[in-house]
Amino acid sequence: MAQRLKINIIILLLCCVSINLYGCRLSGSGDTYMLKVAFPYDKKVEFYEPTKIYLSPEYAFLENIYSTLIRLDPKTGEPIPNLAKSFVWDGNNLEITLKNNLKTSSGAVIKPVDVVNSLKRLVILSENTHGRFKAIVCPNLKIEKLADECENLLADDTSNTVTIKTPSRNDFLIPMLAAIDFAIIPTSSIDEQNLSIKDYSNTSGPYFVVSDDGKGGIELKANKDHHLYNKNIPQKVKFIPAGFANYESSLELFKKGQVDFITTIDKKSEHEVYDFSKKYSCSKHTTMNLRTHSLIFTSKGIKELTLQQRKAIGAEFKRAFNQFYVKSEIYKNTDQFFPAFGEAWLNSDEIKDLENLLKYQGDLPDKQIIINSVRVPNALQAFYEYKKGNMSNIVLIESEAIPSFSGTDDKVHAFILGPDTGFLEDISLITYSINSGAFGPQKEMLNNWLSTYMKTPEKTHRIKMLKEMHKRILSNYYTVPLVSVPYVSCVRDNWNLNFSQFYANDPIWQITKK
């Protein structure tokens, strides 16, 4: 008996050694199933708020801890169910049936009332950056707290349905609900006094927060009751600040084995991540050229600079960026804000009447021009390597804030931004472009245009409107496209990246163990 016990112990020890050597912790409870993510923020978890998404890292974090009713098919861009089981228009009412047994990490069931309260909260706190929900559903209704009734948002726990009533059927409403601005937040996780999120451990997403060191080191754990859960996805996720202030770069941390995943929104430029993936043991993902690095003039810049001066400034930045970036195989010169394969791209006939107008000419102003670069990697290097004598009056400063969102629109003349411009008619990205200032400073006119656009039933007419707006922003030099780029990410090669080529997102639940 003693001999048999001894043999069993030896076998068990050998198995443990084998498991540790090959990283085959099949239970998924060890570090083998933890993914360490290099992240360009060092914010506390309370910083992340779905109603105030100004920059891509905020979106990237929130999309992993919250889910929406709808999501977009990664291959076609068509809306498909997420937390919803089904959705259908019944006249002017959008009827949404939830999946059964949607649960948070604590086992609490997500009910129709949670959906309605999440949408009410969005209306109360903000006219969000991705979409115009209030304008569609309750344009003239004022609600101040979750207990206030909204006759156009109805929850029925018996049938597990939510009804969104609209004055008229609006085809933008369904795809709009896929933006993470429309995250479903369990009511129990909301402070009903000030509507802040008080509990990030009970969420609707595939992950929930288990710890936060207050310095950007946030740890997530997979919710095994979530419909997107898979035993092969990372069971734990650790966000590790990288690439700014006193933090090492993501690439250095990767080489040291301290991070496993470099996101599409890293501090390093796309070509640096792309080149790095060729030299080190990692799997690369590259989207289509969805991102357009652009020079966007603020209301101050448009007021104080003539069209010819904006042309001249745009011309210099375009030369600087092309000289620096286009040496890499993944960058492309572009004269348009929307991507070349997208629905709003202007073909040669449509842009022919702009050819002379878009010829860069004019004299640079003889006064100081302040321009911010907002999260565009290497923009300062590109500018200062090129900077000529006649550009001595232009000062380029790194910033973490878009002027129109931070209230500094009257402090700088322009800013450089690299937004996701989308390959399809994407109302969330169109709204974001308007809110960020990329379509110009005339907010009232733009809001009226957007309202008309969203009420236009025929897609061919809407695309025509969008192309006309595209021509307007180019011809007035509100926005000067510099170069188009893809989003690039990479993960350690014992993982698979299953991301879409058509979206810039970083859905960690789409990363699976090899």
Side-chain angles (χ1 to χ4, degrees), residues 5 26 41 106 171 181 212 307 316 348 367-368 445 478:
L5 180 60
L26 298 179
Y41 273 10
S106 69
D171 291 335
D181 304 48
D212 174 19
L307 176 65
E316 295 294 350
S348 56
K367 62 182 177 181
Q368 188 180 66
M445 183 278 289
Y478 295 146

Side-chain angles (χ1 to χ4, degrees), residues 120-132:
K120 280 185 187 178
R121 179 179 180 273
L122 181 73
V123 170
I124 296 167
L125 289 181
S126 165
E127 182 64 16
N128 59 301
T129 54
H130 295 81
R132 285 285 195 272

Side-chain angles (χ1 to χ4, degrees), residues 192-360:
E192 295 198 33
Q193 295 301 312
N194 59 23
L195 299 187
S196 64
I197 301 174
K198 65 180 182 180
D199 184 1
Y200 286 82
S201 64
N202 272 301
T203 65
S204 61
Y207 291 96
F208 60 95
V209 177
V210 291
S211 69
D212 174 19
D213 66 7
K215 300 176 183 178
I218 301 173
E219 188 171 322
L220 311 181
K221 191 174 181 180
N223 178 3
K224 293 184 178 181
D225 287 322
H226 197 276
H227 66 280
L228 293 173
Y229 175 78
N230 183 310
K231 67 180 181 179
N232 293 319
I233 68 173
Q235 302 299 296
K236 293 182 180 180
V237 178
K238 180 78 172 183
F239 286 87
I240 298 172
F244 58 99
N246 297 319
Y247 300 101
E248 287 189 270
S249 76
S250 58
L251 305 187
E252 287 302 315
L253 292 174
F254 194 100
K255 285 189 283 187
K256 292 178 180 180
Q258 295 176 16
V259 299
D260 308 305
F261 176 44
I262 299 173
T263 66
T264 60
I265 41 85
D266 193 69
K267 278 282 189 176
K268 286 292 185 182
S269 66
E270 299 85 359
H271 76 86
E272 287 175 295
V273 177
Y274 185 87
D275 293 343
F276 178 85
S277 69
K278 294 179 178 179
K279 300 175 184 177
Y280 293 90
S281 183
C282 59
S283 301
K284 174 180 82 270
H285 168 73
T286 306
T287 69
M288 305 291 284
N289 280 44
L290 299 171
R291 191 178 188 187
T292 306
H293 290 332
S294 302
L295 178 68
I296 301 171
F297 288 94
T298 63
S299 56
K300 177 182 175 70
I302 292 169
K303 180 181 179 180
E304 295 185 2
L305 299 169
T306 67
L307 176 65
Q308 294 300 324
Q309 288 172 333
R310 296 200 299 275
K311 277 188 178 185
I313 294 169
E316 295 294 350
F317 272 90
K318 194 166 182 66
R319 292 187 194 105
F321 268 59
N322 274 269
Q323 179 176 295
F324 183 87
Y325 284 97
V326 180
K327 292 180 289 186
S328 171
E329 62 186 284
I330 64 172
Y331 293 94
K332 293 180 181 177
N333 178 35
T334 184
D335 293 319
Q336 298 195 35
F337 181 70
F338 291 106
F341 54 93
E343 293 179 312
W345 176 262
L346 300 167
N347 62 38
S348 56
D349 290 334
E350 291 166 333
I351 206 169
K352 191 171 184 179
D353 59 331
L354 294 183
E355 286 179 353
N356 288 330
L357 190 60
L358 292 178
K359 287 180 180 177
Y360 299 98

Side-chain angles (χ1 to χ4, degrees), residues 31-272:
D31 286 346
T32 300
Y33 280 82
M34 172 180 274
L35 187 77
K36 293 168 287 185
V37 180
F39 207 65
Y41 273 10
D42 59 353
K43 312 290 187 183
K44 294 181 179 180
V45 70
E46 289 83 8
F47 169 82
Y48 297 97
E49 167 55 62
T51 64
K52 296 179 181 178
I53 300 173
Y54 298 145
L55 293 169
S56 49
E58 295 142 37
Y59 201 106
F61 181 84
L62 288 165
E63 71 175 337
N64 284 292
I65 64 171
Y66 291 112
S67 288
T68 50
L69 294 167
I70 312 296
R71 61 191 180 106
L72 301 180
D73 186 288
K75 294 181 179 179
T76 66
E78 292 298 314
I80 58 177
N82 197 15
L83 293 182
K85 178 181 179 182
S86 63
F87 50 90
V88 63
W89 282 103
D90 181 8
N92 294 336
N93 298 339
L94 180 60
E95 301 285 350
I96 300 172
T97 301
L98 300 186
K99 286 182 168 71
N100 296 321
N101 296 317
L102 295 172
K103 293 180 180 179
T104 70
S105 61
S106 69
V109 177
I110 297 174
K111 298 179 180 180
V113 68
D114 296 304
V115 173
V116 167
N117 283 339
S118 297
L119 298 178
K120 280 185 187 178
R121 179 179 180 273
L122 181 73
V123 170
I124 296 167
L125 289 181
S126 165
E127 182 64 16
N128 59 301
T129 54
H130 295 81
R132 285 285 195 272
F133 183 74
K134 185 178 187 296
I136 295 176
V137 178
C138 43
N140 303 314
L141 185 64
K142 185 172 179 61
I143 55 177
E144 297 179 345
K145 53 185 183 297
L146 296 185
D148 291 345
E149 286 195 18
C150 175
E151 60 185 12
N152 293 334
L153 294 172
L154 304 176
D156 187 338
D157 287 343
T158 303
S159 60
N160 204 28
T161 60
V162 172
T163 301
I164 302 177
K165 294 185 175 182
T166 62
S168 60
R169 174 171 170 166
N170 192 303
D171 291 335
F172 284 118
L173 181 55
I174 290 175
M176 187 189 299
L177 292 174
I180 203 62
D181 304 48
F182 298 89
I184 303 307
I185 306 168
T187 304
S188 62
S189 296
I190 300 172
D191 184 321
E192 295 198 33
Q193 295 301 312
N194 59 23
L195 299 187
S196 64
I197 301 174
K198 65 180 182 180
D199 184 1
Y200 286 82
S201 64
N202 272 301
T203 65
S204 61
Y207 291 96
F208 60 95
V209 177
V210 291
S211 69
D212 174 19
D213 66 7
K215 300 176 183 178
I218 301 173
E219 188 171 322
L220 311 181
K221 191 174 181 180
N223 178 3
K224 293 184 178 181
D225 287 322
H226 197 276
H227 66 280
L228 293 173
Y229 175 78
N230 183 310
K231 67 180 181 179
N232 293 319
I233 68 173
Q235 302 299 296
K236 293 182 180 180
V237 178
K238 180 78 172 183
F239 286 87
I240 298 172
F244 58 99
N246 297 319
Y247 300 101
E248 287 189 270
S249 76
S250 58
L251 305 187
E252 287 302 315
L253 292 174
F254 194 100
K255 285 189 283 187
K256 292 178 180 180
Q258 295 176 16
V259 299
D260 308 305
F261 176 44
I262 299 173
T263 66
T264 60
I265 41 85
D266 193 69
K267 278 282 189 176
K268 286 292 185 182
S269 66
E270 299 85 359
H271 76 86
E272 287 175 295

